[in-house]
Amino acid sequence: MKGEIYTPSKDTISGYIDYQEWTQSPLKISFKKSLDKEVETFTTSDLLGFEIIDTKEKYVSMDITLEKLVRDMDLTKFGTIAKYANRKKDLRLKSAFVRVLSSGKITLYHFADNEMGEHFIVNKDKKIEPLIYHVAMIDEGALHITTYQDQLRLLTADGCKSLPIKNLSYKIVQLSKVIDSYNACFSESPVMETKTREKGKLEWRIMAGINVNALNHTIYKDISDDVYRDEWRALPTPGVFLNYQAPRLRGRLALQNEVYFYRYQKTFTTRNGDRSFHHLLSYIGINNLIRYSFKISNPTFYMLAGISNGIMIKNESYMELLGSKRKLGEDFRKHEVAVVAGVGSRFKKMAFEVRFTLGNGFTPYPDHRSISKSLSFMGRYYIK
């Protein structure tokens, strides 16, 4: 995407930045002065910062010392608030490109990585300090230690109005609004809010792969002992889908909607040998899934689950009986419903996924049962 980099000599160079939709603070970026030039890689020691023009995301290079303290799951146990206050701090020096959320008399930055989690940092009068938010086990209970609220009260005390700090959440949108409101007191022109990923975003992509599926067909009344075992077939599956990345959980949660083509193919003969069935059914599938990413990085690992609705668009099934053929399917169920579950991994614009689908098949008869099962191996390419 179009972007600008800022050199240590304070020059601005325009070009193209490999925008990776960072949900963790990047340690380096790839840059081209023009599309036909070679890629250059810059780290935090090479640049003062950079900006993505289309999304208006600005990042600056920063070395910052942060305290590592778990906020969820295995909380650090202190016993008493006094022990917490006198704790030995686990300080880590971090170097990264941090995102600028608000600029003015106070500049608000956002830092995140797997080791340290999420941190907000402020700069006022050239003094940089992290906003402190901890969750610790105190007297067998989880205590939310909102030191950042006290810090902000002191930092914004010279503002022109009272700010809603008392119940302020440690989140991008809420903190940005408070700092924007404070900065407006010292600006002759309106403060422009920085776009944040917490507004959610759309992404669409194409997919293609192999759908290994089987039909399990049981007939109860006509031939009571005929239960046909799975016959797995590998068939191609193309499609497209549109995702909505939810604003909460820092991009981990997304709604995934897919439209794709798939087929079932199966041939079997009854156990008494008097007839054979040949099924070839084509469907347009619509999947509505929820995707949750365990690790937002490159690569990202995720799981998904949801509901699939298949509409039969072509039926080439027939039955052979005593040497003659009879078309099947005038009364087949045209709508298949299935449950879907899978896991996958994404690296930059490519994703690879394995999923299992279990559906109710094609037969509407109460004395028959058809179960469809498929194991899909998919490759996906993100367009946007």
Side-chain angles (χ1 to χ4, degrees):
M1 297 182 74
K2 289 184 178 180
E4 295 177 341
I5 58 174
Y6 311 120
T7 68
S9 58
K10 298 186 179 180
D11 292 327
T12 298
I13 302 175
S14 298
Y16 295 87
I17 296 173
D18 181 14
Y19 178 54
Q20 298 184 15
E21 302 177 358
W22 300 283
T23 49
Q24 294 191 37
S25 300
L27 305 180
K28 60 183 179 180
I29 62 166
S30 297
F31 176 79
K32 287 184 177 182
K33 291 182 180 179
S34 62
L35 293 176
D36 59 347
K37 298 293 184 180
E38 292 186 1
V39 174
E40 299 178 79
T41 300
F42 296 100
T43 66
T44 55
S45 60
D46 301 319
L47 299 175
L48 295 178
F50 65 90
E51 183 173 358
I52 306 298
I53 302 301
D54 291 345
T55 62
K56 294 182 172 60
E57 292 183 36
K58 186 175 182 180
Y59 292 80
V60 299
S61 174
M62 183 179 290
D63 296 326
I64 184 73
T65 299
L66 300 169
E67 182 180 3
K68 179 176 173 58
L69 190 65
V70 180
R71 296 193 186 118
D72 53 17
M73 297 180 69
D74 297 325
L75 297 177
T76 306
K77 296 181 180 179
F78 292 99
T80 66
I81 193 67
K83 289 183 178 180
Y84 166 80
N86 296 315
R87 71 193 180 282
K88 182 179 180 181
K89 296 181 179 180
D90 184 4
L91 301 177
R92 309 287 177 91
L93 177 63
K94 290 291 180 175
S95 179
F97 290 110
V98 296
R99 185 174 174 185
V100 179
L101 299 178
S102 181
S103 296
K105 190 172 180 64
I106 293 179
T107 302
L108 177 67
Y109 306 99
H110 178 254
F111 168 87
D113 76 0
N114 284 332
E115 180 187 26
M116 304 299 293
E118 188 173 32
H119 289 266
F120 294 94
I121 302 157
V122 291
N123 182 352
K124 183 179 181 182
D125 299 330
K126 297 184 179 180
K127 180 183 178 182
I128 296 176
E129 61 178 297
L131 296 177
I132 306 300
Y133 171 54
H134 289 161
V135 182
M137 291 295 293
I138 306 293
D139 295 328
E140 301 303 322
L143 180 64
H144 292 254
I145 302 165
T146 56
T147 306
Y148 68 94
Q149 294 178 359
D150 296 327
Q151 291 174 275
L152 289 174
R153 288 189 187 95
L154 291 174
L155 288 166
T156 62
D158 58 345
C160 62
K161 53 189 171 183
S162 176
L163 298 172
I165 294 177
K166 182 177 181 180
N167 297 312
L168 182 64
S169 299
Y170 198 77
K171 297 182 181 298
I172 290 178
V173 170
Q174 288 81 352
L175 288 171
S176 297
K177 286 182 177 179
V178 165
I179 300 301
D180 284 340
S181 182
Y182 169 80
N183 286 334
C185 294
F186 305 91
S187 176
E188 294 181 0
S189 58
V191 176
M192 298 299 293
E193 290 189 10
T194 304
K195 290 185 178 180
T196 67
R197 191 168 287 107
E198 288 217 359
K199 291 183 179 179
K201 66 175 184 138
L202 294 174
E203 56 187 12
W204 67 281
R205 49 184 172 168
I206 57 176
M207 65 180 187
I210 299 296
N211 189 15
V212 183
N213 59 52
L215 284 173
N216 190 326
H217 190 192
T218 304
I219 304 175
Y220 293 107
K221 292 182 179 179
D222 189 21
I223 308 171
S224 61
D225 63 343
D226 279 351
V227 178
Y228 305 107
R229 294 183 178 179
D230 297 337
E231 180 184 342
W232 293 89
R233 294 288 185 95
L235 300 168
T237 298
V240 297
F241 47 110
L242 176 71
N243 296 342
Y244 174 71
Q245 187 166 293
R248 300 295 177 182
L249 297 178
R250 298 187 61 249
R252 288 185 172 87
L253 191 65
L255 302 179
Q256 188 161 299
N257 301 289
E258 307 173 347
V259 179
Y260 67 107
F261 172 80
Y262 67 99
R263 307 175 83 185
Y264 294 122
Q265 184 174 356
K266 182 180 179 70
T267 300
F268 59 87
T269 303
T270 58
R271 289 180 179 175
N272 60 17
D274 67 338
R275 72 184 84 171
S276 61
F277 294 85
H278 304 265
H279 292 304
L280 182 56
L281 308 170
S282 301
Y283 291 81
I284 291 292
I286 301 174
N287 288 349
N288 303 111
L289 310 171
I290 295 175
R291 185 188 74 208
Y292 184 83
S293 299
F294 292 102
K295 179 181 178 183
I296 302 295
S297 61
N298 272 316
T300 292
F301 298 94
Y302 60 88
M303 67 177 184
L304 49 82
I307 299 296
S308 174
N309 289 276
I311 307 299
M312 187 186 297
I313 59 172
K314 191 174 184 181
N315 176 19
E316 301 173 76
S317 303
Y318 64 91
M319 179 183 68
E320 282 190 283
L321 177 63
L322 301 177
S324 63
K325 294 183 179 180
R326 180 169 68 87
K327 185 178 179 180
L328 296 174
E330 290 82 356
D331 51 359
F332 278 3
R333 182 189 291 122
K334 300 301 189 293
H335 175 212
E336 179 187 36
V337 179
V339 293
V340 184
V343 295
S345 177
R346 175 182 172 181
F347 182 75
K348 295 185 178 180
K349 291 189 175 183
M350 290 297 301
F352 300 94
E353 190 175 293
V354 179
R355 65 171 64 173
F356 179 76
T357 304
L358 180 65
N360 62 352
F362 62 88
T363 179
Y365 306 124
D367 55 347
H368 288 206
R369 184 179 67 178
S370 62
I371 299 175
S372 61
K373 293 179 282 187
S374 65
L375 188 64
S376 301
F377 302 89
M378 307 297 297
R380 308 175 189 277
Y381 180 76
Y382 284 74
I383 304 297
K384 182 177 178 181

